[in-house]
Amino acid sequence: MFIHPQHNPHEMSVSTNTQLNVPIIDLEGAHSDAIRRAKIIADIRNACETWGMLQIFNHGIMKIIFEEMIQGIRGFHEQDVDVKKEFYTRDFTKKVIYVSNFDLFKAPAATWKDTFSCILAPNPPEPTDLPVICRDITMEYSKQVTMLTNTMLELAAEALGLNSNHLKDMECADGLFLVGHYYPACPEPRLTLGTKIHTDPSFLTVLLQDQVGGLQVLHENQWVNVIPVPGALVINTGDLLQLVSNDIFKSAKHRVLANHKGPRVSVASFFSPYIFSSSKLYGPIKELLSEENPPKYKEMTVRDYNALHQEKGLDGTSALQHFKL
């Protein structure tokens, strides 16, 4: 069930250029030095236009928080099955879920991972609804990563030439869906994948990963390894930010390889408007449009977008194509 007969995980070349790396941006001085802030904004614009992914450091979150978050997710997955099964469900409207492969019954093959996830904003679960082993650190980490994401949205808005509060005022980070992946060591990694090729259905995704590696981003038709940097976080531009920026920013296609080494543990925080909200429409930001740059997408609700994303599964394509004008 894990073998991908229609997909060779190595069908596109993997870059051998050791100088080709995802941009790494130092956020030091973003709030205190106007010259540094301007440089950071220019670097973020370039990364979001050309890669759709970057790594950041000096972001204000202490290393111990990262270590405890990784340990908490690893600890959850390495508990006895009898403890974990309390959280197992395929009802994806629940706030706290333990599952393997959300598209298990739709996809042609499974991927090599298990997942713990929880909806933490705007209506968080009761703390007692979270697993004891990672309860406290999940709540603390979510607070800190939310503050960081608000800073990143300010910088991204300015990178688009907008007021710093523009994206925040659009409620781009009002919803937080946190996902803790556990990728065991795989005896035949060439036959399967950890996570299939996809783009993220978010405005921004903030990824904390351990040092095992395996994440790759598609850049200029080559797969580029996203080398773990101690203390850094990976930032993905999501589909929704590509849509509202009218393709100025790109949503990065990425995947995770299975690995002889393991386990690999990662924590992805997907920020978007609340996915179960109803009627608010999102489309290209009017301030970015002109006769030379007309809208490329029709308006849609986040709920409709996520429903389409869930329905099609991780098939290597973006749901954005369904909203093209």
Side-chain angles (χ1 to χ4, degrees), residues 153-175:
L153 285 174
E154 290 177 6
L155 297 169
E158 291 185 45
L160 289 168
L162 302 168
N163 179 281
S164 62
N165 289 324
H166 196 111
L167 294 174
K168 291 195 298 182
D169 290 345
M170 292 171 61
E171 303 173 2
C172 294
D174 279 18

mmCIF file of all heavy atoms in Angstrom, residues 153-175:
data_model
loop_
_atom_site.group_PDB
_atom_site.id
_atom_site.type_symbol
_atom_site.label_atom_id
_atom_site.label_comp_id
_atom_site.label_asym_id
_atom_site.label_seq_id
_atom_site.Cartn_x
_atom_site.Cartn_y
_atom_site.Cartn_z
ATOM 1 N N LEU A 153 3.673 38.497 8.393
ATOM 2 C CA LEU A 153 2.622 39.073 7.547
ATOM 3 C C LEU A 153 2.825 40.575 7.364
ATOM 4 O O LEU A 153 2.557 41.116 6.283
ATOM 5 C CB LEU A 153 1.245 38.783 8.134
ATOM 6 C CG LEU A 153 0.733 37.349 7.965
ATOM 7 C CD1 LEU A 153 -0.576 37.169 8.734
ATOM 8 C CD2 LEU A 153 0.524 37.000 6.492
ATOM 9 N N GLU A 154 3.293 41.259 8.401
ATOM 10 C CA GLU A 154 3.603 42.686 8.264
ATOM 11 C C GLU A 154 4.695 42.886 7.217
ATOM 12 O O GLU A 154 4.585 43.754 6.336
ATOM 13 C CB GLU A 154 4.060 43.258 9.611
ATOM 14 C CG GLU A 154 2.977 43.370 10.667
ATOM 15 C CD GLU A 154 3.534 43.878 11.982
ATOM 16 O OE1 GLU A 154 4.735 44.240 12.028
ATOM 17 O OE2 GLU A 154 2.771 43.913 12.970
ATOM 18 N N LEU A 155 5.750 42.090 7.318
ATOM 19 C CA LEU A 155 6.870 42.217 6.388
ATOM 20 C C LEU A 155 6.450 41.835 4.968
ATOM 21 O O LEU A 155 6.847 42.487 3.992
ATOM 22 C CB LEU A 155 8.033 41.348 6.851
ATOM 23 C CG LEU A 155 8.651 41.732 8.207
ATOM 24 C CD1 LEU A 155 9.620 40.652 8.687
ATOM 25 C CD2 LEU A 155 9.346 43.084 8.136
ATOM 26 N N ALA A 156 5.623 40.798 4.844
ATOM 27 C CA ALA A 156 5.138 40.389 3.525
ATOM 28 C C ALA A 156 4.254 41.457 2.902
ATOM 29 O O ALA A 156 4.321 41.720 1.692
ATOM 30 C CB ALA A 156 4.382 39.065 3.632
ATOM 31 N N ALA A 157 3.405 42.089 3.726
ATOM 32 C CA ALA A 157 2.552 43.165 3.214
ATOM 33 C C ALA A 157 3.403 44.315 2.686
ATOM 34 O O ALA A 157 3.159 44.840 1.590
ATOM 35 C CB ALA A 157 1.599 43.643 4.313
ATOM 36 N N GLU A 158 4.418 44.705 3.441
ATOM 37 C CA GLU A 158 5.289 45.783 2.980
ATOM 38 C C GLU A 158 6.071 45.362 1.740
ATOM 39 O O GLU A 158 6.347 46.194 0.869
ATOM 40 C CB GLU A 158 6.230 46.204 4.111
ATOM 41 C CG GLU A 158 5.509 46.901 5.267
ATOM 42 C CD GLU A 158 6.462 47.415 6.319
ATOM 43 O OE1 GLU A 158 7.494 48.020 5.946
ATOM 44 O OE2 GLU A 158 6.183 47.213 7.520
ATOM 45 N N ALA A 159 6.418 44.081 1.652
ATOM 46 C CA ALA A 159 7.107 43.587 0.461
ATOM 47 C C ALA A 159 6.227 43.703 -0.781
ATOM 48 O O ALA A 159 6.733 43.831 -1.900
ATOM 49 C CB ALA A 159 7.537 42.137 0.675
ATOM 50 N N LEU A 160 4.912 43.681 -0.592
ATOM 51 C CA LEU A 160 3.968 43.861 -1.701
ATOM 52 C C LEU A 160 3.652 45.342 -1.949
ATOM 53 O O LEU A 160 2.873 45.666 -2.848
ATOM 54 C CB LEU A 160 2.664 43.111 -1.408
ATOM 55 C CG LEU A 160 2.737 41.585 -1.472
ATOM 56 C CD1 LEU A 160 1.475 40.967 -0.880
ATOM 57 C CD2 LEU A 160 2.951 41.109 -2.910
ATOM 58 N N GLY A 161 4.235 46.229 -1.154
ATOM 59 C CA GLY A 161 3.971 47.659 -1.301
ATOM 60 C C GLY A 161 2.715 48.112 -0.602
ATOM 61 O O GLY A 161 2.185 49.195 -0.886
ATOM 62 N N LEU A 162 2.223 47.318 0.357
ATOM 63 C CA LEU A 162 0.989 47.621 1.074
ATOM 64 C C LEU A 162 1.303 48.134 2.474
ATOM 65 O O LEU A 162 2.432 48.028 2.963
ATOM 66 C CB LEU A 162 0.126 46.358 1.183
ATOM 67 C CG LEU A 162 -0.277 45.685 -0.140
ATOM 68 C CD1 LEU A 162 -0.852 44.305 0.132
ATOM 69 C CD2 LEU A 162 -1.273 46.554 -0.896
ATOM 70 N N ASN A 163 0.277 48.665 3.127
ATOM 71 C CA ASN A 163 0.394 49.010 4.542
ATOM 72 C C ASN A 163 0.742 47.754 5.331
ATOM 73 O O ASN A 163 0.262 46.661 5.024
ATOM 74 C CB ASN A 163 -0.931 49.610 5.021
ATOM 75 C CG ASN A 163 -0.912 49.969 6.487
ATOM 76 O OD1 ASN A 163 -1.056 49.102 7.340
ATOM 77 N ND2 ASN A 163 -0.755 51.250 6.779
ATOM 78 N N SER A 164 1.545 47.898 6.381
ATOM 79 C CA SER A 164 2.032 46.725 7.115
ATOM 80 C C SER A 164 0.907 45.892 7.726
ATOM 81 O O SER A 164 1.069 44.689 7.958
ATOM 82 C CB SER A 164 3.013 47.159 8.212
ATOM 83 O OG SER A 164 2.376 48.002 9.152
ATOM 84 N N ASN A 165 -0.243 46.508 7.996
ATOM 85 C CA ASN A 165 -1.347 45.769 8.611
ATOM 86 C C ASN A 165 -2.321 45.176 7.598
ATOM 87 O O ASN A 165 -3.312 44.552 7.990
ATOM 88 C CB ASN A 165 -2.129 46.690 9.562
ATOM 89 C CG ASN A 165 -1.344 47.018 10.815
ATOM 90 O OD1 ASN A 165 -0.620 46.172 11.333
ATOM 91 N ND2 ASN A 165 -1.461 48.243 11.292
ATOM 92 N N HIS A 166 -2.055 45.353 6.318
ATOM 93 C CA HIS A 166 -3.055 44.992 5.304
ATOM 94 C C HIS A 166 -3.425 43.507 5.364
ATOM 95 O O HIS A 166 -4.613 43.150 5.388
ATOM 96 C CB HIS A 166 -2.536 45.339 3.906
ATOM 97 C CG HIS A 166 -3.615 45.353 2.868
ATOM 98 N ND1 HIS A 166 -4.061 46.509 2.256
ATOM 99 C CD2 HIS A 166 -4.369 44.354 2.327
ATOM 100 C CE1 HIS A 166 -5.026 46.217 1.406
ATOM 101 N NE2 HIS A 166 -5.221 44.907 1.425
ATOM 102 N N LEU A 167 -2.443 42.635 5.386
ATOM 103 C CA LEU A 167 -2.738 41.204 5.390
ATOM 104 C C LEU A 167 -3.349 40.768 6.717
ATOM 105 O O LEU A 167 -4.263 39.936 6.738
ATOM 106 C CB LEU A 167 -1.473 40.403 5.092
ATOM 107 C CG LEU A 167 -0.887 40.589 3.687
ATOM 108 C CD1 LEU A 167 0.445 39.848 3.558
ATOM 109 C CD2 LEU A 167 -1.863 40.115 2.617
ATOM 110 N N LYS A 168 -2.869 41.331 7.815
ATOM 111 C CA LYS A 168 -3.464 40.993 9.114
ATOM 112 C C LYS A 168 -4.919 41.435 9.175
ATOM 113 O O LYS A 168 -5.782 40.719 9.709
ATOM 114 C CB LYS A 168 -2.668 41.638 10.247
ATOM 115 C CG LYS A 168 -1.294 41.045 10.444
ATOM 116 C CD LYS A 168 -0.674 41.445 11.775
ATOM 117 C CE LYS A 168 -0.463 42.939 11.896
ATOM 118 N NZ LYS A 168 0.184 43.306 13.165
ATOM 119 N N ASP A 169 -5.212 42.605 8.609
ATOM 120 C CA ASP A 169 -6.597 43.101 8.616
ATOM 121 C C ASP A 169 -7.518 42.244 7.755
ATOM 122 O O ASP A 169 -8.737 42.273 7.922
ATOM 123 C CB ASP A 169 -6.637 44.553 8.141
ATOM 124 C CG ASP A 169 -6.024 45.528 9.141
ATOM 125 O OD1 ASP A 169 -5.836 45.129 10.310
ATOM 126 O OD2 ASP A 169 -5.728 46.677 8.754
ATOM 127 N N MET A 170 -6.935 41.488 6.835
ATOM 128 C CA MET A 170 -7.712 40.557 6.018
ATOM 129 C C MET A 170 -7.970 39.239 6.749
ATOM 130 O O MET A 170 -8.547 38.306 6.179
ATOM 131 C CB MET A 170 -6.982 40.267 4.703
ATOM 132 C CG MET A 170 -6.897 41.440 3.756
ATOM 133 S SD MET A 170 -5.804 41.085 2.341
ATOM 134 C CE MET A 170 -6.630 39.681 1.599
ATOM 135 N N GLU A 171 -7.530 39.152 8.009
ATOM 136 C CA GLU A 171 -7.729 37.957 8.843
ATOM 137 C C GLU A 171 -6.945 36.753 8.311
ATOM 138 O O GLU A 171 -7.339 35.600 8.478
ATOM 139 C CB GLU A 171 -9.218 37.613 8.978
ATOM 140 C CG GLU A 171 -10.044 38.745 9.551
ATOM 141 C CD GLU A 171 -11.548 38.470 9.534
ATOM 142 O OE1 GLU A 171 -11.955 37.367 9.105
ATOM 143 O OE2 GLU A 171 -12.308 39.349 9.951
ATOM 144 N N CYS A 172 -5.791 37.050 7.696
ATOM 145 C CA CYS A 172 -4.997 35.985 7.078
ATOM 146 C C CYS A 172 -4.456 34.971 8.080
ATOM 147 O O CYS A 172 -4.161 33.833 7.704
ATOM 148 C CB CYS A 172 -3.829 36.584 6.306
ATOM 149 S SG CYS A 172 -4.321 37.568 4.887
ATOM 150 N N ALA A 173 -4.292 35.385 9.330
ATOM 151 C CA ALA A 173 -3.716 34.475 10.326
ATOM 152 C C ALA A 173 -4.667 34.218 11.479
ATOM 153 O O ALA A 173 -4.232 33.809 12.556
ATOM 154 C CB ALA A 173 -2.394 35.036 10.840
ATOM 155 N N ASP A 174 -5.961 34.417 11.259
ATOM 156 C CA ASP A 174 -6.924 34.204 12.343
ATOM 157 C C ASP A 174 -7.106 32.730 12.672
ATOM 158 O O ASP A 174 -7.513 32.375 13.769
ATOM 159 C CB ASP A 174 -8.272 34.826 11.990
ATOM 160 C CG ASP A 174 -8.310 36.316 12.255
ATOM 161 O OD1 ASP A 174 -7.232 36.920 12.382
ATOM 162 O OD2 ASP A 174 -9.420 36.889 12.342
ATOM 163 N N GLY A 175 -6.841 31.850 11.702
ATOM 164 C CA GLY A 175 -6.951 30.419 11.937
ATOM 165 C C GLY A 175 -5.585 29.773 11.998
ATOM 166 O O GLY A 175 -4.682 30.123 11.232
#
